[in-house]
Amino acid sequence: MGKVNKNIMKLGAIAMFVGTLAACSDTGGTKVAGWKSFSGDPVIEAKVDSVLSLMTLEEKIGQMNQYSANFAPTGEVADNQSGEYLKRGMIGSTFNAFGAANVRMLQEQNLKYSRLKIPMLFAADVIHGLETTFPIPLAEACSWDLNLMERTARAAADEATASGVAWNFAPMIDMSTDPRWGRVMEGAGEDVYLASLVARARVKGFQGISDYSDLNKNNTLIATAKHFVGYGAAQAGRDYHTVDISERSLNETYFPPFQAAIDEGVGSFMTAFNDLNGIPCTGNKHLYTDILRNAWGFNGLVVTDYTAILELIAHGYAEDLKHGAQLSLDAGIDMDMISEAFVTHLQELVEEGSISENQVDVAVARILEMKFLLGLFDDPFRYCDVEREKEVVMNDEYIQLAHEAAQGSIVLLKNENNVLPLKKEDKKRVALIGPFVNERKSLNGEWAIKGDRSKSVTLKEGLDAKYADSNVKFSYAKGTDLPLIDRQTEKVSTGNVPDRSGFAKAVNVARNSDVIVVAMGENYHWSGEAASRTDITLPGNQRDLLKELKKTGKPIVLVVFNGRPLDLSWEAENVDAIVEAWYPGLMAGHAVADVLSGDYNPSAKLVMTFPRNVGQVPIHYNVKNTGRPFNDDTPADYRSNYIDVANSPLYPFGHGLSYTTFDYSNLKLDNKAFSKGGAIKATIDITNTGNYDGEEIVQLYIQDITASVTRPVKELKGFEKIALKKGESTTVEFTIDEKAIEFLGVDMQPIAEVGDFNLWIATSSDDESNHTRFTYN
Ligand code: NOJ
């Protein structure tokens, strides 16, 4: 790279000098050897080249350094390490700074100190909304409504960009089949086909259409596919724990959502904390260079997870921070979140020849390109418009969307004798019991980054509003408390054990009612990062309270607020209805009241299996048959099953009830067979046979019966969410082509093998009532 031109320091606006230099440079490809641009746009490449050619090595390294905004966001630069780097113009990106005015102030300071006036890139974890909090991602995925997920991501991006943020550390697309792992709340469940579609919908919502030029709008931001890879397979569900995944599982299950995100044009990737098959991801060259960059052609920006380079030492992979810096740069990582490894050691590593300056240039080129694509060089303050912020954040349309998303995420797990809905016109005394009736703080769930927890609508408020002028009368008793974790004082986080002193009043209230509505769950800190559990039943003595309430003989409706599949085995046997509300976000109470009253007919279905107990974990619907499958025709001994519990889950993937009923009939194939290049169509008639208008998620499952690599007992290959008025019928059609029967062969390449296949069109993964077979020949 060329030497620094000192005269450039006299240039004022960065846009001006970049424009000038870009015009001067040839457009015949970039000068940075080994750098392939994300956009492929020669004009952008020339601009990146121009800026790079003016930078000192120290300045380049500064671009690769990311901090959390712990330096005074409302005053002069703080007198601490990060403040010092800022004063030297050596922070390329900051996260956790919010608000148009704050970000403007930080950007002004950065430009004051950055010799070349390179704008800083502001990032944040906008996981399920900025201030307008949508349901947690796992809940929202239960809507199976890709358009809804795209719209909430779009709204989140609009609010975030109005508040200064141009880079989002979302979506989290880690696959997991382990509800002990607290971060399942951030994902899209256990199925790779559905999760890949959800990944695309969310990336599209954050970034705009599948075209990098959309990033140039002031209301789109860069999305991050995280955490690459295998983070959700932490041993025993303990966060950050060791991960060992076969090459086949990586390719079949863990990679596809990331590949889908790339197909959708995702701009950045984040590393995973975990050790994958013996090599920590953040220093894994095979993963980041051979696979991500070379095999998949990803040319965007890769950032480490928080202090992940530093953690290479504890992993036993790097001798010290300097070694860690070398390992991660060699792996293909561009930006260091928090570790200060790059900013402290890269210069020395270049000078001693352990890494090349070209490696630094490639990383910096990727970072600068994103800043150009976002338009930050044209206007570093384009995300800092206070007026826009006031208009956009928590506007009525987004609050309404939060309501819609919350309704669409609630899963009705059980509804015996149609105890629900509790109609407004019915003359009923309802006992309202449990720690979640008036709970407000937990309703947003974890990662509600700027969601004001004091604004979420409680269940009680929602019900009071819903039933204000009705015949339904409520009496309330809390009964018990949610246990909390004090991580500072308790080594083992069992939670404090709440006492039973509230039980008697609760039972009394219950006795004087016609129906009991119980609102229970987990405190929001019990899921999310570093919130793994070994016991996934309702925490504390909530079940004990339920047992006392059960003795009253009154029908019980249990509403659960939680961030993971729970073991609700006792509850499923002993209560009459279960409403899985998850953490519904800002409009929680209204959405649950809509469902309880029947004003909204529940339409969501599980995207993660609910086990009968934690011993069944990991559990998922798309298992292999084994050589000794559980089958009633075989002798009971020596089968692949448990002695103490059934193989089947409590509630399977794809399960979710409605207040109406749907009849599936007349499953037909237009052809019994197809061959290469061809396809067949499967159709089924669906009728709403109940008393409510409703929505149904119709699911297509396929099994390759015999193959050169054993296949699961069934795999989701399509779905359609339909709306039917009562009495109405429709025909749902699926096309089955090679893509639908393809799998990774012995050589890990996609293959469609000749043979016979089972096909089901079903209301849930355990519904086998509509089955047929076809042949691929
Ligand atoms: C650690 C988390 O693992 C990651 O998902 C997040 O983006 C960073 N912290 C930054 O908050």
Side-chain angles (χ1 to χ4, degrees):
M1 299 301 302
K3 283 260 179 295
V4 183
N5 178 352
K6 296 271 193 264
N7 290 334
I8 207 70
M9 291 169 74
K10 296 189 186 129
L11 282 176
I14 190 76
M16 195 165 82
F17 95 79
V18 169
T20 315
L21 288 164
C24 299
S25 75
D26 50 5
T27 49
T30 166
K31 297 193 206 97
V32 184
W35 174 51
K36 284 203 192 89
S37 70
F38 175 76
S39 63
D41 181 339
V43 176
I44 301 274
E45 286 168 2
K47 289 181 179 181
V48 170
D49 278 350
S50 301
V51 177
L52 251 176
S53 68
L54 301 170
M55 295 170 81
T56 62
L57 178 58
E58 190 185 70
E59 284 166 339
K60 290 175 193 170
I61 292 167
Q63 286 301 304
M64 301 165 71
N65 184 29
Q66 187 184 56
Y67 270 110
S68 178
N70 58 349
F71 45 95
T74 53
E76 250 303 306
V77 173
D79 195 16
N80 60 20
Q81 180 92 326
S82 43
E84 282 309 308
Y85 282 124
L86 183 62
K87 282 182 183 165
R88 285 159 59 196
M90 287 188 70
I91 303 183
S93 174
T94 291
F95 64 109
N96 285 342
F98 300 98
N102 282 344
V103 171
R104 173 177 289 274
M105 190 273 303
L106 281 169
Q107 190 70 284
E108 274 167 359
Q109 291 191 4
N110 165 63
L111 294 175
K112 176 167 139 197
Y113 295 115
S114 164
R115 183 181 67 93
L116 294 174
K117 312 251 170 286
I118 298 178
M120 203 189 273
L121 176 52
F122 290 90
D125 292 270
V126 186
I127 309 291
H128 52 117
L130 184 81
E131 284 195 37
T132 309
T133 305
F134 302 109
I136 56 168
L138 180 66
E140 208 188 48
C142 291
S143 72
W144 299 50
D145 184 340
L146 300 171
N147 174 267
L148 175 72
M149 291 180 245
E150 186 185 324
R151 284 188 291 137
T152 59
R154 181 90 294 281
D158 198 19
E159 289 196 6
T161 51
S163 303
V165 176
W167 181 13
N168 193 8
F169 296 151
M172 189 205 87
I173 53 182
D174 291 307
M175 297 300 294
S176 184
T177 51
D178 194 335
R180 292 171 299 185
W181 190 54
R183 295 194 82 166
V184 295
M185 60 138 300
E186 282 175 71
E190 72 193 37
D191 181 72
V192 64
Y193 171 83
L194 180 58
S196 300
L197 291 171
V198 171
R200 289 191 77 138
R202 289 186 169 143
V203 169
K204 190 170 176 189
F206 292 138
Q207 293 198 166
I209 56 167
S210 307
D211 177 353
Y212 71 88
S213 63
D214 253 16
L215 290 176
N216 196 254
K217 295 180 179 154
N218 77 345
N219 63 355
T220 55
L221 38 62
I222 297 169
T224 304
K226 74 182 187 185
H227 308 83
F228 195 59
V229 67
Y231 185 36
Q235 279 178 12
R238 173 154 62 79
D239 205 7
Y240 319 125
H241 203 353
T242 308
V243 170
D244 213 307
I245 307 179
S246 71
E247 197 195 345
R248 172 155 300 279
S249 291
L250 270 178
N251 281 283
E252 283 183 350
T253 307
Y254 293 88
F255 283 166
F258 289 92
Q259 292 165 308
I262 293 176
D263 290 343
E264 197 59 49
V266 74
S268 76
F269 264 57
M270 186 184 288
T271 69
F273 284 126
N274 53 281
D275 174 331
L276 174 70
N277 303 338
I279 302 179
C281 292
T282 305
N284 195 325
K285 189 170 182 178
H286 177 60
L287 207 52
Y288 282 92
T289 299
D290 300 344
I291 296 176
L292 180 64
R293 301 286 191 201
N294 296 342
W296 298 354
F298 178 69
N299 296 318
L301 165 58
V302 177
V303 63
T304 71
D305 202 345
Y306 204 104
T307 60
I309 301 183
L310 178 67
E311 293 171 25
L312 294 178
I313 304 169
H315 272 296
Y317 190 62
E319 276 162 26
D320 51 23
L321 195 61
K322 181 178 164 190
H323 188 206
Q326 181 176 352
L327 286 167
S328 21
L329 188 73
D330 278 342
I333 279 125
D334 308 312
M335 191 178 276
D336 166 6
M337 186 194 291
I338 303 284
S339 291
E340 292 183 3
F342 286 173
V343 86
T344 317
H345 296 292
L346 286 190
Q347 177 121 14
E348 192 186 340
L349 284 164
V350 171
E351 281 163 7
E352 70 188 30
S354 304
I355 59 165
S356 68
E357 185 161 355
N358 174 257
Q359 285 178 275
V360 172
D361 287 347
V362 171
V364 177
R366 292 185 188 125
I367 295 163
L368 293 179
E369 180 177 23
M370 288 303 154
K371 295 185 177 185
F372 273 111
L373 292 177
L374 288 164
L376 282 168
F377 277 99
D378 295 327
D379 176 8
F381 304 108
R382 65 194 312 247
Y383 304 103
C384 304
D385 175 349
V386 177
E387 287 313 309
R388 187 183 150 224
E389 185 178 30
K390 275 190 215 143
E391 271 166 38
V392 167
V393 174
M394 293 272 272
N395 69 48
D396 290 347
E397 186 193 332
Y398 292 163
I399 292 173
Q400 180 47 42
L401 180 60
H403 192 163
E404 182 190 338
Q407 290 174 327
S409 304
I410 297 169
V411 188
L412 181 62
L413 293 175
K414 179 179 181 185
N415 192 21
E416 203 84 337
N417 305 320
N418 294 328
V419 57
L420 286 176
L422 300 169
K423 293 195 207 127
K424 282 176 273 193
E425 53 277 19
D426 291 351
K427 209 165 173 250
K428 281 219 168 102
R429 295 165 307 157
V430 177
L432 257 186
I433 292 166
F436 261 96
V437 174
N438 282 311
E439 171 67 20
R440 196 185 301 280
K441 262 176 93 174
S442 277
L443 296 174
N444 282 353
E446 271 295 354
W447 282 121
I449 191 86
K450 293 293 286 178
D452 182 345
R453 293 187 184 276
S454 71
K455 288 192 178 144
S456 302
V457 180
T458 66
L459 178 59
K460 180 77 167 40
E461 288 165 348
L463 291 172
D464 284 347
K466 175 68 63 186
Y467 292 94
D469 297 312
S470 76
N471 291 326
V472 177
K473 298 291 165 233
F474 294 103
S475 325
Y476 165 69
K478 189 174 189 185
T480 189
D481 289 309
L482 287 176
L484 302 170
I485 301 170
D486 183 347
R487 292 178 197 271
Q488 304 308 317
T489 57
E490 285 192 354
K491 280 233 163 65
V492 179
S493 299
T494 51
N496 57 325
V497 183
D499 67 32
R500 297 168 65 106
S501 57
F503 280 25
K505 185 180 170 200
V507 170
N508 205 28
V509 167
R511 275 204 196 103
N512 293 307
S513 70
D514 302 307
V515 56
I516 313 169
V517 172
V518 190
M520 293 180 164
E522 298 174 299
N523 177 283
Y524 74 100
H525 282 315
W526 285 55
S527 62
E529 189 175 343
S532 299
R533 295 184 64 193
T534 57
D535 171 358
I536 53 170
T537 58
L538 286 169
N541 61 6
Q542 296 181 92
R543 187 177 277 178
D544 294 343
L545 173 59
L546 273 175
K547 285 180 179 168
E548 295 305 313
L549 296 173
K550 170 86 181 161
K551 290 179 192 159
T552 65
K554 310 277 179 171
I556 300 177
V557 173
L558 173 64
V559 185
V560 212
F561 297 83
N562 51 296
R564 58 160 59 76
L566 293 173
D567 162 359
L568 297 175
S569 295
W570 186 90
E571 291 76 8
E573 215 164 286
N574 290 284
V575 307
D576 300 86
I578 304 180
V579 175
E580 175 52 79
W582 306 108
Y583 296 119
L586 177 69
M587 300 298 271
H590 290 315
V592 177
D594 294 335
V595 166
L596 294 181
S597 65
D599 284 354
Y600 180 84
N601 187 359
S603 66
K605 299 204 183 218
L606 295 179
V607 294
M608 220 177 150
T609 304
F610 274 47
R612 292 181 188 275
N613 66 38
V614 78
Q616 289 187 314
V617 168
I619 185 169
H620 49 104
Y621 80 93
N622 46 357
V623 291
K624 297 286 180 76
N625 209 28
T626 81
R628 294 186 174 194
F630 178 78
N631 172 340
D632 284 339
D633 300 336
T634 58
D637 293 343
Y638 304 107
R639 297 186 301 201
S640 178
N641 64 327
Y642 299 104
I643 287 166
D644 55 353
V645 74
N647 281 10
S648 62
L650 183 63
Y651 294 116
F653 174 87
H655 169 77
L657 303 174
S658 163
Y659 292 145
T660 193
T661 44
F662 295 99
D663 177 66
Y664 285 53
S665 66
N666 204 18
L667 171 61
K668 278 198 298 220
L669 296 179
D670 68 346
N671 218 318
K672 273 287 186 192
F674 72 105
S675 36
K676 200 168 173 47
I680 50 172
K681 284 192 194 326
T683 50
I684 193 154
D685 297 336
I686 305 200
T687 306
N688 180 342
T689 47
N691 292 322
Y692 293 82
D693 299 345
E695 288 173 90
E696 168 73 337
I697 301 164
V698 184
Q699 301 156 42
L700 169 73
Y701 294 94
I702 290 179
Q703 181 195 20
D704 189 339
I705 301 168
T706 310
S708 56
V709 175
T710 59
R711 307 305 308 150
V713 292
K714 61 183 66 172
E715 292 174 281
L716 182 74
K717 292 293 176 183
F719 63 89
E720 200 174 318
K721 191 165 185 174
I722 55 166
L724 286 180
K725 298 213 176 306
K726 59 179 175 181
E728 215 174 54
S729 295
T730 193
T731 301
V732 173
E733 179 183 293
F734 294 102
T735 299
I736 296 114
D737 56 13
E738 273 154 29
K739 197 86 207 131
I741 58 167
E742 224 171 60
F743 65 92
L744 298 180
V746 179
D747 58 358
M748 290 295 164
Q749 295 307 310
I751 183 175
E753 274 182 6
V754 165
D756 292 335
F757 295 80
N758 279 317
L759 178 151
W760 299 267
I761 298 184
T763 185
S764 154
S765 66
D766 70 344
D767 166 24
E768 305 211 325
S769 40
N770 293 284
H771 165 252
T772 187
R773 282 167 77 127
F774 67 89
T775 305
Y776 177 67
N777 51 30

